[in-house]
Amino acid sequence: MCRLLGVVSRAPLPLATSLGELAAPFTELSREHADGWGIAAWPEQGGDGPRVVKGTARAAGDRLWDDALGGTPADAAVLHLRMASPGLPVVPGNTHPFTAGGLAFAHNGFFSPYDALDELIDPDLLSGAGGGTDSERFFLRVLTLLRDKGPVDALAGAAEDIRARASFASLNCLLLTREALYAYADEDPECEVSRRRGPDFFRLRYRADGERVVVASSGVPQPDGAWSVLPYRRVLEVRRGDLGVRVHG
């Protein structure tokens, strides 16, 4: 399983600054979630797309990770720590976030079979897949739906397709666009991981404090009263322009 972290700040800042007290404990999670990492960050509102940096080593102790946190001014970013599913190699093509057309996507969880969505993905997108993960297929289904729908409906629709066609542990994901950061949450509480790790493991929470909005998996400090749980099968939208927050669904 993996860990997710998203942030939208009022002005472009180095990620270490905008994440503040979350940067160190999130990095520490990579001692367990040690199969690579990735960061997609928008340097400014008018940029052509997010800048993406990935590594296949553990984030903790990786100088490239530290440099990305300290030297990437951005007003919106998605960060991912990977724990690879059995049988899926630790290679750049399988490392999140996945990107296309100015969008970035990261997933925490898995579904099986990995090809459950293939017939629902536009052939031109499927042929361009960079790796072999179920997570990338999730993104490609979202991209297919985005050709006719907005991000909220595309995320919810892709998750509904997975529930109809596959068994899954978690469908938690983050989608970063030019306009907003989106988060979706869902899990199967009867899956082996949820039963073994407990009911909090797949919870996504978010916090707005005036200068930033953050969305995070469990494992980083999330004191009661400061953080809100994203309900399952809902889409959180955080607008880059004004930090407006809305839960859809």
Side-chain angles (χ1 to χ4, degrees):
M1 294 299 98
C2 308
R3 297 289 85 180
L4 300 172
L5 183 60
V7 61
V8 181
S9 57
R10 198 167 293 281
L13 297 168
L15 290 177
T17 301
S18 62
L19 293 174
E21 76 286 0
L22 299 175
F26 186 73
T27 302
E28 281 298 302
L29 292 175
S30 72
R31 298 192 183 279
E32 178 183 8
H33 304 268
D35 298 321
W37 58 268
I39 297 173
W42 276 90
E44 57 185 349
Q45 286 279 6
D48 293 331
R51 295 176 181 171
V52 181
V53 184
K54 298 182 180 183
T56 54
R58 184 178 67 186
D62 188 335
R63 183 174 179 179
L64 187 60
W65 167 267
D66 293 337
D67 289 346
L69 288 185
T72 306
D75 74 298
V78 167
L79 300 87
H80 183 273
L81 302 175
R82 185 178 181 220
M83 181 187 289
S85 298
L88 294 179
V90 180
V91 295
N94 288 341
T95 304
H96 313 216
F98 305 103
T99 57
L103 307 175
F105 177 90
H107 172 219
N108 167 27
F110 68 85
F111 62 85
S112 180
Y114 294 142
D115 61 357
L117 295 178
D118 283 9
E119 67 181 32
L120 301 180
I121 297 169
D122 284 351
D124 63 309
L125 296 174
L126 187 60
S127 66
T133 66
D134 53 323
S135 298
E136 187 177 18
R137 278 3 188 234
F138 192 174
F139 180 41
L140 296 178
R141 179 56 180 158
V142 171
L143 290 177
T144 297
L145 291 170
L146 281 171
R147 291 177 168 176
D148 298 307
K149 303 176 182 293
V152 172
D153 290 336
L155 283 171
E160 184 176 355
D161 292 334
I162 294 170
R163 285 193 294 270
R165 292 169 170 263
S167 61
F168 70 95
S170 165
L171 304 180
N172 291 357
C173 60
L174 299 177
L175 175 68
L176 183 60
T177 76
R178 184 180 300 276
E179 293 79 22
L181 171 68
Y182 298 89
Y184 182 85
D186 196 14
E187 74 164 313
D188 176 4
E190 297 304 316
C191 75
E192 186 275 332
V193 176
S194 294
R195 287 187 281 108
R196 174 166 49 87
R197 301 300 294 261
D200 190 61
F201 186 69
F202 284 122
R203 287 294 186 187
L204 275 184
R205 293 179 174 84
Y206 63 97
R207 175 179 180 176
D209 63 12
E211 296 302 315
R212 66 173 186 174
V213 180
V214 290
V215 186
S217 302
S218 61
V220 297
Q222 298 170 339
D224 291 342
W227 292 75
S228 300
V229 173
L230 178 60
Y232 289 146
R233 302 191 184 184
R234 300 293 187 267
V235 179
L236 175 73
E237 177 184 7
V238 183
R239 295 192 302 270
R240 290 179 63 202
D242 59 6
L243 297 190
V245 175
R246 181 179 176 186
V247 176
H248 299 266

